[in-house]
């Protein structure tokens, strides 16, 4: 094999003390080792032809080539948190979600949004009460968890505690999870709420413990590469201390409505159309986040 071809096809990087192969194309350009679809704030319900519209949107999102899995950023169902929500309403919404997400056989990793838990169950011991039931319906192993794929480490957080924070046990778990990773292991963290986002300046919605999280990420700046969120229905990108914070817009846009006086177009929430993101993750820890509008579908 010629030396040039050998370099192009066998480029290696040291990650965590191990040699990790970097895929490159014929021109020597690095290729992603993971391609992920990020959907968030689906807010599915039965009315207004929403299940059909949502299925069409999901099909479009999954039309990208070589998608490895889906990250669902929460608020899967329209709402279980309002005062007037009944058991029957919650049950119906989760059944519609099940039908919606059955449109793909690709693995889906979810986090819990603020609209997913039902807090008005008769008692806290009711099987449908709160976060644990929402996690069960989203097929999550726990309300927060982590997993590994192709050299990347993924952490899914639950910010649905008082003050939009992680509880003490979860924060300790997060510190331990990051601490036990080999040096230079690239990490993507997903929470429903933004940890850092410019949109929080006018819309609120930020993690209440963002200062502690920012400091923790700086301690592990060789690892934490991406923080992914939704909640805002607004799309933006912020880079701080080497971490890319991507807040992507919602699949439901303006909660499936046409919009209001602040909407830049039909279905928009302010200046963000309904959409989804494709993330390309690379072996060297770099990432690309491409937000794709669904306004014309």
């Amino acid at each position: 094999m010629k030396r040039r071809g050998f370099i192009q096809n066998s480029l290696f990087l040291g990650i965590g003390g191990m040699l990790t192969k970097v895929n490159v194309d014929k021109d020597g350009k690095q290729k992603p080792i993971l391609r992920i679809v990020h959907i968030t704030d689906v807010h599915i319900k039965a009315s207004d032809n929403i299940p059909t519209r949502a299925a069409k949107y999901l099909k479009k999102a999954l039309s990208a080539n070589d998608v490895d899995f889906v990250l669902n950023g929460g608020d899967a169902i329209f709402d279980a948190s309002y005062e007037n929500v009944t058991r029957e309403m919650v049950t119906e919404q989760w059944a519609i979600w099940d039908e919606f997400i059955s449109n793909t056989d690709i693995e889906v990793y979810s986090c819990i949004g603020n609209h997913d838990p039902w807090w008005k169950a008769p008692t806290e011991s009711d099987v449908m009460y709160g976060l644990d039931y929402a996690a069960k319906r989203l097929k999550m192993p726990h309300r927060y968890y982590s997993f590994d794929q192709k050299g990347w480490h993924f952490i899914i957080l639950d910010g649905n505690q008082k003050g939009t924070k992680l509880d003490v046990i979860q924060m300790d778990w997060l510190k331990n999870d990051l601490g036990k990773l080999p040096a230079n292991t690239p990490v993507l963290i997903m929470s429903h709420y933004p940890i850092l986002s410019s949109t929080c300046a006018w819309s609120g919605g930020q993690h209440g413990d963002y200062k502690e999280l920012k400091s923790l990420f700086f301690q592990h700046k060789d690892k934490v590469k991406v923080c992914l969120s939704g909640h805002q229905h607004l799309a933006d990108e912020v880079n701080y201390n080497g971490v890319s914070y991507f807040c992507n817009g919602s699949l439901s846009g303006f909660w499936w409505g046409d919009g209001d006086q602040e909407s830049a177009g039909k279905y928009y929430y302010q200046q963000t159309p309904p959409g989804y993101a494709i993330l390309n993750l690379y072996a060297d820890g770099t990432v690309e986040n491409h937000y794709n509008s669904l306004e014309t579908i």
Side-chain angles (χ1 to χ4, degrees), residues 172-202:
D172 288 343
W173 170 85
L174 175 61
K175 292 175 180 177
N176 180 67
D177 195 64
L178 286 171
K180 68 184 181 183
L181 292 172
N184 300 309
T185 301
V187 176
L188 182 151
I189 296 173
M190 182 173 71
S191 181
H192 178 65
Y193 310 94
I195 295 170
L196 181 63
S197 168
S198 63
T199 68
C200 296
W202 61 84

Side-chain angles (χ1 to χ4, degrees), residues 88-108:
E88 290 72 25
M89 292 167 67
V90 177
T91 301
E92 179 188 48
Q93 289 178 72
W94 281 119
I96 298 168
W97 168 263
D98 290 343
E99 179 65 25
F100 163 76
I101 208 64
S102 70
N103 287 295
T104 177
D105 55 5
I106 298 175
E107 189 74 33
V108 178

Side-chain angles (χ1 to χ4, degrees), residues 158-233:
D158 168 30
N160 295 287
Q161 316 301 318
K162 185 177 181 180
T164 319
K165 299 179 179 181
L166 309 186
D167 51 280
V168 174
I169 295 175
Q170 183 180 182
M171 183 65 80
D172 288 343
W173 170 85
L174 175 61
K175 292 175 180 177
N176 180 67
D177 195 64
L178 286 171
K180 68 184 181 183
L181 292 172
N184 300 309
T185 301
V187 176
L188 182 151
I189 296 173
M190 182 173 71
S191 181
H192 178 65
Y193 310 94
I195 295 170
L196 181 63
S197 168
S198 63
T199 68
C200 296
W202 61 84
S203 292
Q206 190 169 15
H207 258 265
D209 48 6
Y210 66 91
K211 288 185 178 180
E212 185 175 0
L213 290 170
K214 170 182 65 72
S215 297
L216 176 63
F217 298 162
F218 190 72
Q219 293 174 30
H220 297 281
K221 59 185 177 180
D222 63 314
K223 303 172 187 174
V224 181
K225 304 299 182 183
V226 187
C227 288
L228 194 61
S229 68
H231 184 59
Q232 306 293 81
H233 293 225

Side-chain angles (χ1 to χ4, degrees), residues 56-67:
K56 186 184 298 184
Y57 282 6
L58 182 61
K59 181 179 180 181
K60 177 63 177 177
L62 295 173
S63 65
N65 293 329
D66 303 320
V67 172

